[in-house]
Each structure stands twice: as C-alpha cells, then as structure tokens.
Amino acid sequence: MAELVTGHAGKAHATAEQAAGLNAGILGLDDYVLNVHDKLKITVVSANKVTIGTGELVMQGRHVSQGTPEDLIVTNGSQGQKRNDLIVCRYAKGSQSVESAKLVVVRGTPTTGTPTDPAVNTTSPLDGGTTYDMPLYRIPLDGITIGTPVPLFNVLRPMSDVWDSLTQTEVLTLINSTYGTVKGYRRGSLVTLRIDWKSSASGSWNTGNFGTLPESWRPPMDLNFSYGGRDGANQKSINVNANGTMTYANQGGTQGTNAFGMTVSYAL
C-alpha cells in the first residue's frame, strides 16, 4: 500500500527505515564519509591507541554522526608477528528493533607471514541484516609497532561539485602578448585552450614562450602537444607545464616565422 512519507498524517508515521531508504536511493548503496568536519581523520597516539576525528558518514542509507573525537584501543602486537586490524563503524539492530552505531576495532589474526584483514559483517540492513560493518581504516601491526593506517572509505563529494563539473565558464583571455593570445574555457575539470600566435621563432630547434597560465588552469603534470604546419614547415611541440608556463619548441627541419594556431584540451 502506498504511503505518503513527507506529508502530514495526523500522527507520527515517518520511520528511520524510510529515511534510510531515501538516503540509499539518492546517494547509492555504497558507504561514504561526507566531506565535512575532520572526515574521521585518524591519529596514532601510541602503540595501542588511535584517535578518530569528527565527521559524518552514510552506511547503507544510515546517517551516523561523530560529533567529538574518540579514542580507540588497539590490542598490543606481538614480537616477530604481523597483524591487520580494521576500524569499522558497526551498525546493530537489537531487541525491540532498537538500532545503534559505534566505532569498533576488529582484531586480525597474528602471523609470521603476510597478514590478512579480519572478516566483517556484510549483510546490509536494507536486506534485513542486523549487524553491518563499514570499514574505515586498516591498522597494520609489525611486532609491537603500529604502521601507517590505510583509509578504506570514499569521501562523497557534495552536489556543488557535481554542478561545477557540468558548468562551463565563459571564454577567457588567459595570456595576452604582443605576439598573440591564449584563450580558454573550462567545463568542470576539462580545459580547452586556443592558441593564436602571430609569428614563430625561426631555426630548426629554436623555442618560444607564450606566457604563464593562471594557477587554476594549470595541469597536474607537464603536457606536450604536437603542431604540424603546412608542407612540413612549423613542426612544433606545444608544452603546457604544471607550473603554468607555456612554451613551444621547433622540431627540426624547415622552420619559418609564419603565424600559427591550434587548440589543446586536458583534464586538471
């Protein structure tokens, strides 16, 4: 029977199960840490204690809030043995269907070989599971030493990031020189540049500078693009560097001083 959830019914009728179903339908069936507060950042305090910072997460549609940092005890390791522990957020449904969530350290099995992660509860409460674990961190132990914790969760980006990824900027002049211009536009993380240069450095291997891109337009690594002029002239490498500098380099052969232009695209 259909039921209006977000509407006045003259009595208390909206349930946590319905709210979880809505969250799961919108956010998906994966588990996520939300992009707020400390994002459950972990700090190793000692050989047997870690601190989990503040944050919010959604596991199988259930929203869990970590309002204050929390200390967790890791069982001491043993000399000559290795072990993987997991820090999980554990959902549980107890008697009278009372639900709860808490952070738990799941201890692994010590071994002299390569340690494996301990088993966790994987039956979703959406499928009737009464205990479910969302892994947050792997804690590797080598002897009595805690290694670097390994994050096991994804951070769910906000809808504003989705909007930004779909929105295109206006065409902007990024470099303006007496020798020409570099214009560009962005759609999310994809950049398209149009180079219009009035002349070229002559000589088989000579180089030239376009200028420097604004910081928000720079690629994460140095990029190279090929420009091929007509009849074998003006063969160039167009270089867009991570520090924002843009240059070109002639690639041998016959090189004139003619104007040239091209379009390049790359992801930020």
Side-chain angles (χ1 to χ4, degrees):
M1 180 179 68
E3 178 184 5
L4 178 64
V5 177
T6 52
H8 179 65
K11 61 179 181 179
H13 70 101
T15 67
E17 187 74 24
Q18 290 166 333
L22 179 63
N23 287 339
I26 294 175
L27 303 179
L29 296 179
D30 290 329
D31 302 329
Y32 296 102
V33 170
L34 304 185
N35 192 36
V36 293
H37 308 312
D38 291 335
K39 291 178 283 192
L40 301 178
K41 179 181 178 181
I42 190 170
T43 302
V44 177
V45 179
S46 66
N48 68 342
K49 185 185 346 184
V50 298
T51 299
I52 304 297
T54 60
E56 312 283 334
L57 63 84
V58 176
M59 50 190 294
Q60 303 300 295
R62 269 67 180 176
H63 173 208
V64 180
S65 180
Q66 174 87 348
T68 58
E70 180 177 353
D71 291 336
L72 297 174
I73 300 301
V74 177
T75 302
N76 288 332
S78 303
Q79 290 284 2
Q81 292 188 317
K82 298 179 180 180
R83 194 179 84 225
N84 283 350
D85 289 358
L86 293 180
I87 294 178
V88 306
C89 182
R90 174 165 292 170
Y91 161 90
K93 179 183 284 188
S95 61
Q96 299 180 333
S97 296
V98 174
E99 298 171 292
S100 63
K102 61 180 179 180
L103 300 184
V104 176
V105 179
V106 182
R107 185 182 177 185
T109 302
T111 178
T112 56
T114 301
T116 59
D117 293 344
V120 296
N121 300 289
T122 59
T123 302
S124 169
L126 295 170
D127 297 325
T130 57
T131 305
Y132 179 83
D133 294 328
M134 173 184 172
L136 297 175
Y137 292 97
R138 176 184 299 115
I139 307 295
L141 291 99
D142 188 347
I144 61 173
T145 302
I146 289 182
T148 302
V150 180
L152 301 175
F153 56 83
N154 293 318
V155 176
L156 184 65
R157 308 302 299 182
M159 289 299 294
S160 59
D161 284 6
V162 177
W163 174 256
D164 290 344
S165 71
L166 300 174
T167 302
Q168 180 174 306
T169 66
E170 297 178 354
V171 176
L172 302 175
T173 299
L174 306 174
I175 296 174
N176 192 3
S177 165
T178 56
Y179 296 103
T181 60
V182 176
K183 298 180 180 179
Y185 68 85
R186 287 175 50 182
R187 184 183 294 275
S189 61
L190 183 65
V191 169
T192 298
L193 302 180
R194 172 63 198 183
I195 302 167
D196 288 294
W197 223 240
K198 298 177 182 179
S199 64
S200 173
S202 60
S204 299
W205 302 101
N206 284 353
T207 62
N209 296 316
F210 295 109
T212 303
L213 293 170
E215 185 171 355
S216 61
W217 294 76
R218 300 173 185 177
M221 63 181 181
D222 294 347
L223 302 177
N224 309 103
F225 303 89
S226 295
Y227 171 82
R230 182 176 176 179
D231 300 327
N234 280 346
Q235 305 295 315
K236 302 181 184 303
S237 171
I238 306 296
N239 309 305
V240 184
N241 299 313
N243 64 3
T245 59
M246 286 187 63
T247 64
Y248 66 87
N250 294 338
Q251 298 298 292
T254 302
Q255 297 291 338
T257 59
N258 295 335
F260 65 96
M262 70 177 298
T263 300
V264 300
S265 295
Y266 54 88
L268 296 176

